[in-house]
Amino acid sequence: IADSFTHCFAAPVFQDGACVATLCLIAPREDAVQHHARYREVLMSCAAELTEKLTSAPKGLSVAGIV
């Protein structure tokens, strides 16, 4: 379903070169336009942090303390 009232931001989380999850933020359109750069920056930073945890964890999400 699509609407013109919200904006969705998403960032991939990788393990072994494959996207295994995404982080998503949905914001009201006006707020998303106003804070676009900041939302994108924080979302990408958090996704990179999770990717790093998965890279250092031998058995994936549960070992990394994510689930």
Side-chain angles (χ1 to χ4, degrees), residues 39-57:
Y39 288 164
R40 185 178 184 279
E41 173 189 332
V42 170
L43 201 56
M44 294 296 289
S45 175
C46 290
E49 184 178 330
L50 289 174
T51 295
E52 179 61 33
K53 286 184 177 187
L54 288 175
T55 301
S56 63

Side-chain angles (χ1 to χ4, degrees), residues 7-15 18-26 36-51 54:
H7 185 80
C8 178
F9 297 85
V13 177
F14 294 98
Q15 183 178 27
C19 180
V20 295
T22 58
L23 296 182
C24 178
L25 170 71
I26 299 173
H36 184 272
R38 179 69 179 143
Y39 288 164
R40 185 178 184 279
E41 173 189 332
V42 170
L43 201 56
M44 294 296 289
S45 175
C46 290
E49 184 178 330
L50 289 174
T51 295
L54 288 175

